[in-house]
Amino acid sequence: MQPVGNSEPLLGVLAPTRSELNAFMGEAEAGLSVPDIAGARRYHFGEVEAIGSVTGQGADRCSASLDRILEAPLIDKLLIVGVAGGTQPGQAPGDLLVASGAGPLFADPTPAAPALVTVVASELQATETSVRIGPLATVERLAPAEEKRRLGESGFVGVDMESHTMLAAARQAGIPAVCLRVVLDPLERDIPRSVAALAAAQGGRLWPDILGLACWPMEVRASVQFMRDMGTALGALGAAAEPMVRVLCSES
């Protein structure tokens, strides 16, 4: 990739939340903002450069921000990053998922770019990182354990709320895209209601569940476990960042 100021298209890194993007870009040097994409910045891993942007949580927020991101002639491929729910037995917080595609149950997943899936998976496997390759399920709300189990039995390796929207938008724009998600809540664990309600209060789609904040005193142990899992997941996402950016930037 070219240095700052060059007009050549760059790798775009998209994440639903600022915390996910910051975790992935943690070792990178933050550069200039990108005038054509509100809120986006250039990031540098040595001589390698990428554009990072936050899309927002959930399909609706994600769709609105993708219009401005993909209309800017600055991105030639996309890496979608973030956390996901585990749907398979044996998964643990921090396990990486490379999506072959993403979509809702009972529908054909929108495929990721096969060449990028191969490159990303090969790079991770070469470092002996725990990684699964397969489709991600798309849901509208955080999936409880029983729903995650059903999705896993249908062949999904993980579940989130945005990957399908991002892959579909990239496909329509003619931009190759690949998803790298990391397991946050494994199959047997639900995200505590109080945590989900806090996320809703901060702008998610779950505002009727704000009453879940009242569960906090009863969910202290589960919430502490969740925060540990979040730290593990975001740490794994950050550890994968530099090799992922480098290999994708070298892919023509």
Side-chain angles (χ1 to χ4, degrees), residues 162-197:
E162 303 88 13
S163 290
H164 174 250
T165 300
M166 294 192 205
L167 284 178
R171 189 175 179 83
Q172 184 173 4
I175 299 175
V178 62
C179 297
L180 176 66
R181 291 277 185 164
V182 60
V183 173
L184 168 57
D185 48 308
L187 175 62
E188 67 278 5
R189 285 208 283 272
D190 290 333
I191 291 179
R193 283 190 63 198
S194 52
V195 173

Side-chain angles (χ1 to χ4, degrees), residues 124-163:
L124 293 173
Q125 289 166 342
T127 62
E128 299 185 356
T129 301
S130 178
V131 57
R132 294 200 191 201
I133 306 162
L136 293 174
T138 297
V139 295
E140 294 184 356
R141 299 165 65 101
L142 297 174
E146 186 55 38
E147 183 177 2
K148 290 189 290 184
R149 185 172 292 105
R150 288 196 301 270
L151 293 170
E153 290 170 353
S154 297
F156 293 102
V157 298
V159 56
D160 66 48
M161 297 187 291
E162 303 88 13
S163 290

